Amino acid sequence: MPTNPAAVPPESSDEPHVPGVPSTVTPEVAEPVEPREPAPPKGDQSGPATGSPTGAPTGLPQEAVAQQGEWLTTAQGDRMHDTDHSLKAGPRGPVLLQDHHLREKIMHFDHERVPERVVHARGAAAHGVFTAYGTASGVTKAAFLAKDAATPVFVRFSTVLGSRGSADTVRDTRGFATKFYTEEGVFDLVGNNIPVFFIQDAIKFPDVIHAGKPHPDREIPQAQSAHDTFWDFVGLHTEATHHTLWNMSDRGIPRSYRMMEGFGVHTFRLQNAAGETTLVKFHWKPKLGVHSLVWEEAQLAAGADPDFHRRDLADAIEAGAFPEWELGIQTFPDTPEQTFEGIDLLDPTKIVPEELAPVQPIGRLVLNRNPSNYFAETEQVAFHVGHLVPGIDVTDDPLLQGRLFSYLDTQLTRLGGPNFGQLPINRTHAPVNDMLRDGMHQTAVHQGVAPYRPNSLDGGCPFQAGAAQGADIEVPVPLPASRKVREAPESFDDHYSQARLFWRSMTPVEQEHIIGAYSFELGKCYEQAVKERALLTLAHIDERLCSEVATALGLPAPAPDAGSDDGLVSPALSQLGQEWPTEGRNIGIVVAPGADPDGVRALREAVFAADMVPLVIAPAGGTLDGVTVQRTFATARSIEFDALLVAGVPAPAADALPVRDAKTGVRGTDIEPRLALLLGEAYRHGKAIGGWAGAEAALTAAGVPQDAPGVVLGGSGTEVFEQLTTLLRSHRVWDRFPAAS
């Protein structure tokens, strides 16, 4: 008998049905091992009528057209003994092309969505230029990394889980994909803003995405991991622990694409002109530093401005505050073991701390142009980790090996055929003579009569190039003599040590945010067993983390099992403790009728001169005393601004009516009530606040202490702004976030 009455379909239970139960099966904490038939649907669910393709009723029950049997099979009914490991030449060898199960599983997954991307559907992009420093010339012969080489690029940022219509500020991993249009062909660096991934083998990619996507019966929740199927999977598949912890940190809710790191995730192999090889990991370091939203900001933005990140990127470029990153590499000796300081470089769930292998800058990226058409460019751009150039090669990382297949395959559905490379945004800037012909959407007009080799009718053209002609020749890496297996090396079994490193490297306030994220996400789950299993995972990371989350869930904390503590800490993993440039920050300037217009104009000029963006907020649109208004009290929310400056004491505007704008409230005050809300939010979110000309009254109405950290009062706007600029270098006023003792 199920222990949870709500898990029984209503027609077989007299108990009231509680909405939200994810399944008709009540799970246990331990992974099920007894084979059983697929679970029946809930009582409120039914499939379409069981008719024939020509409309004739078949009379078959719903179960007859659903999944059958208790054993995992291929689509042809062949029972499978393993779906966790690709077929490889030995535990550390490359993936074999003959792996029919991998091929079928990934092929079907790649074609699940038409026409948007299965993952990374929600994106924003920009054009730019990458200029190399020449510092990588010793490790790679790639021409675009030679000194002062300038290469056009197109960069697409994205969320992973949500559909194209989802919100930007959900808690999720972000894609950071860069297309380099080099003179040797296209090179795609297809990475994320988190340096590790949930899985170690590409054969598990459909599983983790199916778990993270909305529940298939209701298509909710959209673009978030706060639900049972995600936590059910990561609790059972513990190699996901490290990435999950990053996602629950502030990295999961970036402030802006402009303030986001990027990582190649995998280890790549570089080869220099002498034929020497080096293993590397790629890093993008933002000029403005790595900053995040606080959780309430992310939630507000999802409703008030679901296009928050997309708008921020486009507005910054339009305003001339061009986003910048530095590309860097961590380098490691290319040894047969492919490890560094005991860390397996082929395991995509592991990082190499920067304190052990510093990131060496090799070039600068500047985004300076917005797309002219979203569909033609941002939506149709097609990346592929196999788009390589001479001097850059892949390794045997089993996740990377699967991606080499998947990216090409998925374009066949998304972009209608094999000629997606001919779309303008995907076209290489190098000459093409590929002997590929015809197919859907063929736009090249080929000449000649002999698209084959060898030939004499076209004079032998095209000819094969050698190394001297810049041919891309794969590095001849020796392979271990081994047997074909579905296994992983023993070093892949460590799922917790790097999660513990990440936790120890966080500052107290960042740890508090992680505790809050786990508490929220798991609190959204329905099944207690899923929550208990997650706590067992947290017990392997840190006792306090586990205990605090257990308290929030109202569950007992399991006994700590944090393993050996080597004490290693990586300060580079924390977002706090440094100062960063302030260019491109949004400064809200609140003005009231009668405020000194000359002073406001002088303040705007000072903000512009500091390469920041001033946005004037007033009771109504248009102009106020000759000053152009960008936001009104009805449209402004604190999420948009990095700091607020208040000139004077705005009285309630004419539209400050609860019946028209519920957030005005009923305050019975002489201060504009929506300004009080705006200031209160900014204060809670740790933003710098300044005022002059009597702004103290507005602060009091908002409950903001005048002597609080990060609150600046002065005699003029320019004077106050100068002090606020110093505060902005730390991104937030972190003293307002005292961590729990």
Side-chain angles (χ1 to χ4, degrees):
M1 281 289 293
T3 57
N4 180 0
V8 181
E11 69 270 20
S12 59
S13 171
D14 295 327
E15 296 289 335
H17 182 59
V18 180
V21 58
S23 171
T24 55
V25 174
T26 301
E28 302 294 338
V29 174
E31 181 176 3
V33 294
E34 267 312 308
R36 55 160 294 165
E37 289 283 333
K42 294 189 294 182
D44 62 325
Q45 299 173 327
S46 176
T50 54
S52 75
T54 56
T58 64
L60 291 172
Q62 294 285 331
E63 296 79 14
V65 294
Q67 296 282 292
Q68 305 288 317
E70 65 268 38
W71 304 108
L72 173 69
T73 74
T74 67
Q76 310 306 314
D78 183 22
R79 291 184 180 179
M80 297 303 301
H81 72 96
D82 187 330
T83 191
D84 291 341
H85 304 94
S86 298
L87 189 65
K88 300 188 286 292
R92 299 183 61 76
V95 173
L96 300 178
L97 184 61
Q98 72 180 69
D99 190 349
H100 59 93
H101 180 45
L102 167 69
R103 173 73 171 91
E104 180 186 75
K105 187 175 179 181
I106 295 292
M107 178 273 292
H108 197 281
F109 169 75
D110 285 341
H111 298 277
E112 285 180 357
R113 299 292 186 277
V114 180
E116 72 176 28
R117 289 166 169 86
V118 179
V119 290
H120 299 278
R122 173 75 176 180
H127 297 271
V129 62
F130 175 80
T131 305
Y133 299 153
T135 49
S137 296
V139 293
T140 180
K141 60 186 178 183
F144 81 98
L145 292 175
K147 183 173 176 56
D148 297 329
T151 303
V153 299
F154 189 71
V155 180
R156 187 178 189 271
F157 306 101
S158 55
T159 53
V160 171
L161 290 177
S163 67
R164 279 190 59 190
S166 57
D168 279 348
T169 59
V170 295
R171 183 179 294 280
D172 196 0
T173 303
R174 264 67 180 181
F176 192 133
T178 307
K179 186 176 289 291
F180 297 82
Y181 302 96
T182 87
E183 63 186 34
E184 297 178 302
V186 167
F187 169 57
D188 286 344
L189 183 54
V190 195
N192 288 331
N193 74 321
I194 290 176
V196 292
F197 205 62
F198 288 108
I199 53 175
Q200 296 167 324
D201 192 312
I203 202 169
K204 296 300 296 179
F205 197 72
D207 298 305
V208 67
I209 299 302
H210 286 167
K213 283 285 190 177
H215 290 205
D217 52 354
R218 298 188 179 190
E219 189 65 10
I220 57 174
Q222 176 61 242
Q224 56 183 295
S225 54
H227 53 89
D228 287 82
T229 58
F230 173 80
W231 288 99
D232 182 44
F233 175 81
V234 300
L236 294 170
H237 201 67
T238 54
E239 68 191 51
T241 300
H242 191 197
H243 189 162
T244 302
L245 187 60
W246 277 77
N247 236 35
M248 294 303 105
S249 78
D250 292 341
R251 302 282 186 142
I253 44 174
R255 158 64 179 86
S256 164
Y257 291 137
R258 301 178 288 131
M259 303 168 194
M260 199 172 75
E261 274 186 303
F263 303 91
V265 180
H266 308 288
T267 298
F268 291 81
R269 177 176 280 108
L270 302 187
Q271 186 179 43
N272 63 15
E276 301 163 329
T277 60
T278 304
L279 300 180
V280 304
K281 285 183 176 290
F282 290 103
H283 295 248
W284 290 110
K285 298 286 188 181
K287 176 185 177 182
L288 298 179
V290 186
H291 307 299
S292 296
L293 300 168
V294 296
W295 183 227
E296 187 188 23
E297 275 185 299
Q299 293 173 304
L300 287 172
D305 187 2
D307 307 303
F308 184 75
H309 285 149
R310 180 181 298 193
R311 189 188 315 280
D312 175 89
L313 177 68
D315 285 355
I317 294 173
E318 187 176 7
F322 298 143
E324 294 185 23
W325 288 262
E326 209 166 41
L327 180 62
I329 54 175
Q330 289 178 295
T331 62
F332 319 103
D334 190 0
T335 63
E337 296 77 20
Q338 299 178 91
T339 63
F340 182 79
E341 297 289 341
I343 301 168
D344 195 325
L345 297 175
L346 300 187
D347 184 349
T349 69
K350 303 291 194 302
I351 64 166
V352 177
E354 294 183 27
E355 291 76 14
L356 297 180
V359 177
Q360 306 168 45
I362 63 172
R364 173 172 170 261
L365 167 68
V366 179
L367 298 182
N368 54 18
R369 195 157 47 91
N370 284 313
S372 59
N373 183 277
Y374 182 91
F375 179 81
E377 298 168 89
T378 306
E379 186 61 19
Q380 290 197 128
V381 66
F383 296 95
H384 175 36
V385 289
H387 289 163
L388 303 166
V389 292
I392 303 177
D393 203 353
V394 298
T395 60
D396 293 338
D397 173 343
L399 177 61
L400 176 56
Q401 293 268 313
R403 293 178 74 195
L404 289 169
F405 164 78
S406 180
Y407 280 72
L408 281 179
D409 187 58
T410 195
Q411 309 305 340
L412 298 177
T413 289
R414 287 207 62 251
L415 300 175
N419 292 309
F420 61 87
Q422 296 181 19
L423 293 167
I425 193 61
N426 295 322
R427 290 175 186 168
T428 178
H429 293 193
V432 173
N433 195 344
D434 55 19
M435 294 195 301
L436 306 177
R437 290 295 184 270
D438 307 338
M440 292 283 289
H441 311 305
Q442 176 62 257
T443 57
V445 182
H446 294 102
Q447 298 179 351
V449 297
Y452 52 84
R453 273 196 47 82
N455 76 73
S456 63
L457 296 181
D458 281 345
C461 184
F463 297 91
Q464 294 180 155
Q469 291 81 37
D472 190 3
I473 301 175
E474 291 82 2
V475 177
V477 180
L479 300 178
S482 188
R483 56 195 174 89
K484 58 183 183 182
V485 295
R486 290 191 186 273
E487 296 177 6
E490 290 183 9
S491 56
F492 278 38
D493 290 340
D494 174 15
H495 299 165
Y496 301 114
S497 65
Q498 290 218 328
R500 292 193 287 267
L501 166 67
F502 184 82
W503 171 261
R504 288 195 303 268
S505 302
M506 297 295 99
T507 61
V509 67
E510 290 172 304
Q511 290 183 344
E512 290 294 333
H513 291 170
I514 292 172
I515 291 170
Y518 272 100
S519 300
F520 177 88
E521 296 257 329
L522 291 168
K524 286 282 190 175
C525 293
Y526 182 92
E527 296 292 355
Q528 181 163 316
V530 170
K531 302 176 189 179
E532 291 180 10
R533 194 185 304 131
L535 291 175
L536 290 172
T537 299
L538 297 183
H540 286 281
I541 301 174
D542 180 79
E543 181 177 2
R544 188 174 79 88
L545 170 62
C546 181
S547 175
E548 296 283 357
V549 175
T551 298
L553 298 177
L555 296 173
D561 184 17
S564 60
D565 185 353
D566 55 17
L568 182 63
V569 172
S570 175
L573 298 177
S574 172
Q575 297 182 193
L576 275 61
Q578 301 183 56
E579 291 191 344
W580 302 96
T582 58
E583 289 93 330
R585 299 298 182 127
N586 290 340
I587 308 300
I589 304 173
V590 180
V591 297
D596 176 15
D598 293 333
V600 173
R601 277 189 283 268
L603 173 58
R604 291 180 76 249
E605 292 173 5
V607 174
F608 275 127
D611 292 326
M612 299 188 220
V613 181
L615 296 170
V616 173
I617 309 165
T623 61
L624 180 64
D625 298 329
V627 177
T628 301
V629 175
Q630 282 86 28
R631 303 289 186 271
T632 68
F633 295 139
T635 62
R637 293 301 290 264
S638 68
I639 54 173
E640 187 175 8
F641 310 108
D642 296 289
L644 283 176
L645 295 167
V646 183
V649 190
D655 63 343
L657 306 172
V659 70
R660 188 173 301 164
D661 188 352
K663 70 176 183 287
T664 60
V666 182
R667 295 176 180 265
T669 173
D670 294 332
I671 307 298
E672 164 59 49
R674 292 165 294 183
L675 172 59
L677 176 66
L678 187 69
L679 290 170
E681 289 175 350
Y683 180 77
R684 290 199 307 276
H685 302 157
K687 297 180 179 179
I689 299 172
W692 68 100
E696 294 87 345
L699 297 177
T700 300
V704 176
Q706 297 176 26
D707 58 351
V711 176
V712 178
L713 298 171
S716 70
T718 52
E719 173 194 338
V720 171
F721 174 65
E722 185 176 347
Q723 297 182 60
L724 256 63
T725 300
T726 302
L727 295 169
L728 282 170
R729 293 179 186 140
S730 299
H731 181 59
R732 293 188 194 274
V733 184
W734 294 110
D735 290 344
R736 291 198 207 136
F737 296 90
S741 58

